[in-house]
Amino acid sequence: MTQPLLETAAWKALQAHFAEIEKKHLRELFADDPDRGTRLAAEGAGLFLDYSKNRVTDETITLLLRLAEERGVLARRDAMFSGERINITENRAVLHVALRAPKGSSIAVDGQDVMPDVHAVLDRMAAFAGRVRSGEWLGHTGKRIRNVVNIGIGGSYLGPEMAYRALRSFADPSMVFRFVANIDGAAFHEATQDFDAAETLFVISSKTFTTLETMTNADVARQWTLAALGQDAAVEKHFVAVSTNEAGVKKFGIDVENMFGFWDWVGGRYSMDSAIGLSTMLAIGADGFYDMLAGFHAMDTHFREAPPERNLPLLMGLLTIWYNNFFGAQTLGVMPYAAPLARFPAYLQQLQMESNGKHVDLDGRVVGYQTGPIIWGEPGTDGQHSFYQLIHQGTKLIPCDLIGFCRPMSPSAHQHDLLMANLFAQAEAMAFGKTAVELTQEGSPDFQTPFRVAEGNRPTNLILADALTPHSLGAMVALYEHSVFTQGAIWAIDSFDQWGVELGKVLAVRIIPELDPGSEPQLHHDSSTNAAIRRYRARRG
Ligand code: G6Q
């Protein structure tokens, strides 16, 4: 039995320390400690983290690191890297770190080295991607593949879509990539309406190959292809699968030669660097994909080897605990100052909320403390013109991660300076705000002053990389993966299962036949659900 979190010495010390820190303003912390802006920073895997604009002192960090030690975070990290079955509720190893370990390394699950299989799949993916990109792989009618549609949902969708958008400037511009997740037929229709089936490849991405949304969309895709190309044989040239379920793939009619596998020790939300990343590799090529894996691996190595006080994921995870459990912050904002990272907050939403949205600890006890925060965000500067108002002057504390890149993501260096000026200004405004005295000095009319006061003391992490590249994207995703890991280890929860998702997967199945127009079902739900189903049946046309 793990010691209950709230009874640990480090937790109690943090509680006492919090009572002091809570009253301190970042203005005071900076005034008393002029070096903190350079001292409270760390670097790893090409990423720079400035955490000085957090409501912490050196003592806070020492106490948080002591908490990590007392909770055995680093021992659990080592257990994960060595292939132990740390996902106890599913009795599985958690080895996404093996997906990006270089050739020649060895990582064993139950005494079996998994690395030869990992690289065998990567080699097959690279060969396939090379054939499609070069035009050697042709569609059923002999046309070159120009369009790729990834059909998958959740962990089999968010990573590939996020990565494609982020790395579009590295992608083959002669090919179009789309992503279909939603079971709403409108999603498939919208993604394919301007496509020629003869030039379109579907990548059916599903770990289980049973997920209702994905299997429904895959069937629709097959009908759409056959309606245009006429023959069953077309499936072979226009469908490939990414899955762990060989039997399911065969049953669907995809040749297992065109199936790319992965393993039960890869969680869905940790799978964008497995074969689930096939669409990413088709877009940016095998070299680009390997570069992304190298970025992931560099952060893995940093997490394993950097001393705790300079360990980026460890520090970020602990800061999340600090706000979540001591300040009572309910949410964490992630604002990438990079338009190509538009889907990064959504990606992190799943990574964090599915991993740490748990209410029971590893011993099966209901936790008596808050676990995973709500993650949300939009790219800067867009968010500044909508919800930042609440961050600056509302009543809620919202710690934010602000992410930026030193080199422009477009030919316009000037625009990039404007973007980054906004990032730096927002971090400054959130920390230091605007006092009544400053406003008066600036000529603010007295009647307006109280409304214009911005209290400040809003904490931020600044994450900077030199450029948005496959490598830095990989490092950034791994940074958040290991921060999520750190939080889960402190809370002593299983960050790698998802029983709530499994529940959702079965609920709709009972209602589907009740919506069948030809049936007269006896409804046995609650009165609200019964009424909603009846209304829908009567009005759907
Ligand atoms: C991820 C979750 C979930 C999963 C989807 C798709 O960690 O388990 O988001 O990825 O439900 O599942 P399949 O890949 O099996 O279709």
Side-chain angles (χ1 to χ4, degrees):
M1 280 257 179
T2 9
Q3 187 183 20
L5 176 62
L6 306 190
E7 288 171 23
T8 58
W11 194 268
K12 288 179 183 159
L14 277 162
Q15 254 169 342
H17 174 69
F18 171 69
E20 286 166 39
I21 292 291
E22 193 190 8
K23 297 181 215 104
K24 291 212 189 253
H25 197 288
L26 279 166
R27 281 196 283 261
E28 197 184 334
L29 293 175
F30 270 83
D32 292 350
D33 177 9
D35 288 342
R36 67 179 277 138
T38 45
R39 196 182 65 253
L40 299 187
E43 220 164 329
L47 302 186
F48 172 77
L49 168 69
D50 169 1
Y51 61 96
S52 65
K53 290 195 186 78
N54 280 289
R55 294 171 67 174
V56 296
T57 60
D58 291 317
E59 193 191 347
T60 321
I61 299 300
T62 305
L63 292 174
L64 285 168
L65 290 171
R66 196 176 299 160
L67 177 69
E69 204 181 310
E70 227 178 296
R71 299 301 278 172
V73 174
L74 300 186
R76 191 164 164 78
R77 169 200 68 188
D78 294 342
M80 170 173 76
F81 275 89
S82 58
E84 280 181 37
R85 294 174 183 264
I86 63 164
N87 174 359
I88 55 161
T89 75
E90 295 181 300
N91 189 27
R92 286 177 182 167
V94 174
L95 266 185
H96 42 278
V97 293
L99 299 169
R100 54 261 193 155
K103 258 188 185 149
S105 36
S106 124
I107 300 179
V109 177
D110 298 333
Q112 178 90 27
D113 188 358
V114 300
M115 291 313 301
D117 284 352
V118 167
H119 281 281
V121 173
L122 280 170
D123 290 347
R124 287 185 56 235
M125 286 166 65
F128 174 71
R131 290 180 70 196
V132 174
R133 285 163 58 87
S134 68
E136 186 195 326
W137 177 285
L138 298 174
H140 181 63
T141 63
K143 282 188 167 176
R144 193 174 170 159
I145 298 296
R146 301 260 172 222
N147 315 313
V148 175
V149 182
N150 184 80
I151 295 185
I153 197 163
S156 302
Y157 151 68
L158 285 159
E161 195 200 30
M162 180 279 287
Y164 173 64
R165 290 232 202 156
L167 302 175
R168 210 163 163 182
S169 60
F170 295 83
D172 181 342
S174 70
M175 293 174 76
V176 180
F177 289 79
R178 303 235 172 104
F179 300 83
V180 176
N182 203 299
I183 200 162
D184 185 342
F188 180 85
H189 177 70
E190 195 189 304
T192 53
Q193 60 186 334
D194 54 345
F195 281 175
D196 173 358
E199 299 182 335
T200 303
L201 175 75
F202 290 97
V203 179
I204 313 298
S205 296
S206 174
K207 181 172 171 179
T208 54
F209 231 71
T210 56
T211 304
L212 180 69
E213 291 89 337
T214 302
M215 297 329 293
T216 305
N217 278 319
D219 280 335
V220 170
R222 186 170 41 195
Q223 286 159 26
W224 179 84
T225 305
L226 295 184
L229 304 180
Q231 294 163 356
D232 278 354
V235 170
E236 194 188 316
K237 292 287 174 195
H238 295 271
F239 285 79
V240 296
V242 178
S243 187
T244 58
N245 176 0
E246 195 174 305
V249 170
K250 271 191 198 152
K251 198 166 153 228
F252 180 84
I254 295 176
D255 187 345
V256 289
E257 282 292 302
N258 300 328
M259 164 180 166
F260 302 89
F262 56 114
W263 307 273
D264 72 352
W265 43 260
V266 183
R269 56 196 173 274
Y270 296 89
S271 67
M272 61 172 277
D273 47 349
S274 72
I276 290 290
L278 183 62
S279 61
T280 314
M281 197 192 261
L282 284 162
I284 65 172
D287 287 347
F289 196 80
Y290 284 124
D291 213 23
M292 185 179 83
L293 296 185
F296 272 101
H297 181 67
M299 185 55 75
D300 294 344
T301 307
H302 171 87
F303 184 45
R304 279 182 102 171
E305 295 179 359
E309 64 283 4
R310 279 186 278 127
N311 196 306
L312 268 64
L314 188 66
L315 289 168
M316 275 182 54
L318 291 170
L319 287 166
T320 304
I321 301 272
W322 182 231
Y323 295 115
N324 187 70
N325 293 86
F326 293 90
F327 284 86
Q330 296 274 346
T331 81
L332 173 67
V334 182
M335 317 299 168
Y337 278 70
L341 286 180
R343 294 292 284 160
F344 195 55
Y347 176 79
L348 293 183
Q349 221 161 36
Q350 180 189 28
L351 178 66
Q352 170 85 49
M353 293 169 74
E354 207 168 81
S355 296
N356 286 342
K358 309 289 162 64
H359 74 294
V360 165
D361 73 12
L362 292 166
D363 295 311
R365 296 175 296 215
V366 172
V367 296
Y369 41 84
Q370 288 289 314
T371 60
I374 297 160
I375 304 294
W376 62 285
E378 284 287 329
T381 62
D382 308 31
Q384 289 173 211
H385 298 268
S386 63
F387 53 77
Y388 273 40
Q389 166 64 31
L390 188 146
I391 302 175
H392 286 299
Q393 285 192 305
T395 53
K396 294 181 172 57
L397 181 74
I398 304 177
C400 290
D401 290 349
L402 305 178
I403 301 171
F405 298 90
C406 298
R407 291 205 280 273
M409 288 151 286
S410 77
S412 173
H414 177 60
Q415 272 186 287
H416 193 66
D417 286 346
L418 299 181
L419 174 72
M420 293 303 287
N422 272 279
L423 186 167
F424 298 133
Q426 288 298 321
E428 213 174 11
M430 286 183 199
F432 305 112
K434 196 67 138 174
T435 63
V437 174
E438 286 167 341
L439 283 161
T440 307
Q441 281 166 357
E442 288 170 15
S444 159
D446 282 353
F447 81 95
Q448 271 186 356
T449 300
F451 304 99
R452 296 175 71 170
V453 165
E455 195 188 12
N457 222 10
R458 272 59 173 164
T460 53
N461 282 321
L462 169 65
I463 300 166
L464 276 182
D466 284 350
L468 177 56
T469 61
H471 192 280
S472 66
L473 183 71
M476 215 150 47
V477 172
L479 168 66
Y480 279 95
E481 285 177 351
H482 299 319
S483 163
V484 165
F485 175 92
T486 299
Q487 296 159 46
I490 299 278
W491 292 317
I493 53 178
D494 191 333
S495 301
F496 303 102
D497 62 11
Q498 56 283 313
W499 296 105
V501 177
E502 312 298 330
L503 173 66
K505 284 188 177 188
V506 296
L507 284 180
V509 172
R510 186 173 152 210
I511 298 182
I512 293 167
E514 295 171 351
L515 302 186
D516 182 351
S519 69
E520 285 295 332
Q522 293 282 314
L523 299 177
H524 300 293
H525 306 274
D526 58 276
S527 57
S528 156
T529 309
N530 287 345
I533 291 174
R534 283 197 197 101
R535 185 175 177 87
Y536 173 74
R537 286 179 59 97
R539 290 169 175 250
R540 77 182 139 195

